[in-house]
Amino acid sequence: MVSSSHEAMHRIFQEDPGVFARTFRALDLPFPEPVAVSLMPTDLTETRPTERRVDTLLKIDTTSGESHLLIVEAQGKKDPGKPAAWAYYVAHLYAKYCLPPVLLVTCQDRTTAEWAAKPFTIGPSQWPALTLRALVLGPHNVPAITDPSAAARDIPLATLSAVTHGKDPNAPAILKALATALKTIDEETARIFAELTELGLGTAPAAETWRQLMSVDLSFFRSETSERLRAEGRAEGRSEGRSEGRSEDILLILATRGIEVPERARERITTCTDLDTLGTWLTNALTATTAEDLFTEDPA
């Protein structure tokens, strides 16, 4: 089963395919600047009943006039069977599109990243038929963006930084910078990257930090956490509305019956938010002879 953090790691590239070029620039990797990026079909299933899908597949047209395919795979842990699948993806896509493929693997922990970065060979040791080399992004090389202004200049890269470093001790500072940066962009885009951050953090301890940061300003956040907090806010608002209405009813009954309400009693009535107490006072208002009678257990 695909986890939410796995889903978010490659969806960042779908939301902004150009983030890979900016990441590569930060890592000083020799890839030409892209001039066009196309989202390609991820289904690699053949006529046989074996379904194979990559996480994300992009076609990159560069300033040099050359094009290549970018295969984005999110890897959460070591998987001995994965290199064979990656080799299949690379060979199949090269045969299908006749374009050089680049395998990009994103990881959230250093151990998995170091494993994925090793060359994988297929064939006998004395004569390997194929050597697979992945470009790996992980906590070891993705920059930790802790400056809000830097995060605001590149929200997708800041999101990738937050997700990749979600298990690091420095995660709170990275998340705070991203939360601040999200307030500088349009609401819909902020929603998307806020959601991707929560998905990407998964069950990491930093996820709670992110929920706390988002609870400060929920105007652009649409996650399960924010929906729950919004629901609680709406419930609280309805409760406040009912208490205000009941206070007004009490004062109206007293005024209709010609009972004077001193300022101290009026303040006690209007500031009370307990509906059960207000209900008792409302009943007492029907028989009370003074405002103070409201607050006795048996005004009669």
Side-chain angles (χ1 to χ4, degrees):
M1 182 177 178
V2 177
S3 66
S4 59
S5 58
H6 175 281
E7 179 74 12
M9 289 293 281
H10 63 84
R11 274 188 57 198
I12 293 172
F13 290 86
Q14 294 178 7
E15 293 296 336
D16 183 0
V19 71
F20 93 93
R22 300 192 296 277
T23 305
F24 289 173
R25 279 202 302 272
L27 301 178
D28 197 26
L29 292 171
F31 283 87
E33 288 292 321
V35 293
V37 180
S38 308
L39 194 61
M40 305 286 284
T42 59
D43 190 349
L44 307 185
T45 306
E46 298 180 275
T47 55
R48 295 176 299 169
T50 301
E51 183 175 311
R52 299 180 187 271
R53 292 179 183 272
V54 297
D55 289 339
T56 294
L57 178 61
L58 304 171
K59 176 176 176 287
I60 313 294
D61 300 323
T62 70
T63 53
S64 67
E66 299 176 345
S67 300
H68 62 266
L69 298 175
L70 182 70
I71 308 164
V72 183
E73 285 281 293
Q75 193 65 28
K77 60 182 179 180
K78 295 181 181 180
D79 182 353
K82 202 65 179 182
W86 291 338
Y88 173 87
Y89 299 161
V90 169
H92 177 85
L93 289 169
Y94 182 67
K96 182 175 182 178
Y97 294 106
C98 296
L99 291 173
V102 176
L103 174 64
L104 174 65
V105 179
T106 59
C107 304
Q108 287 183 290
D109 65 275
R110 185 180 294 271
T111 301
T112 304
E114 290 175 349
W115 166 80
K118 295 178 180 178
F120 294 99
T121 58
I122 297 175
S125 58
Q126 62 271 27
W127 196 270
L130 177 67
T131 300
L132 180 73
R133 295 177 60 215
L135 263 174
V136 179
L137 298 182
H140 64 296
N141 60 0
V142 172
I145 301 177
T146 57
D147 179 11
S149 60
R153 287 194 295 270
D154 197 333
I155 296 292
L157 184 57
T159 302
L160 180 64
S161 174
V163 172
T164 304
H165 292 276
K167 299 178 181 179
D168 289 4
N170 205 29
I174 300 171
L175 294 175
K176 187 174 181 180
L178 176 58
T180 302
L182 288 179
K183 297 176 184 179
T184 67
I185 61 176
D186 67 277
E187 185 175 323
E188 185 58 32
T189 303
R191 281 197 185 102
I192 292 171
F193 286 101
E195 288 289 347
L196 287 175
T197 302
E198 174 152 324
L199 286 172
L201 292 173
T203 59
E208 181 58 32
T209 301
W210 183 248
R211 284 189 282 270
Q212 291 174 2
L213 287 169
M214 290 297 97
S215 68
V216 175
D217 183 0
L218 301 179
S219 63
F220 56 78
F221 198 54
R222 214 168 33 184
S223 71
E224 180 180 345
T225 301
S226 69
E227 291 298 334
R228 173 177 56 78
L229 291 173
R230 281 198 187 98
E232 292 174 356
R234 288 193 293 268
E236 183 179 349
R238 288 194 293 270
S239 178
E240 290 178 356
R242 287 197 296 270
S243 63
E244 290 176 2
R246 193 159 292 181
S247 298
E248 292 173 358
D249 291 342
I250 293 170
L251 294 174
L252 178 60
I253 291 173
L254 293 176
T256 302
R257 297 185 63 230
I259 297 175
E260 183 180 354
V261 182
E263 187 59 33
R264 183 176 177 181
R266 182 181 297 276
E267 182 179 357
R268 185 175 177 182
I269 295 169
T270 57
T271 58
C272 180
T273 58
D274 185 83
L275 292 175
D276 291 337
T277 300
L278 289 169
T280 300
W281 293 350
L282 181 65
T283 301
N284 292 348
L286 299 173
T287 57
T289 56
T290 68
E292 289 300 321
D293 289 342
L294 293 178
F295 313 126
T296 62
E297 293 184 3
D298 185 4

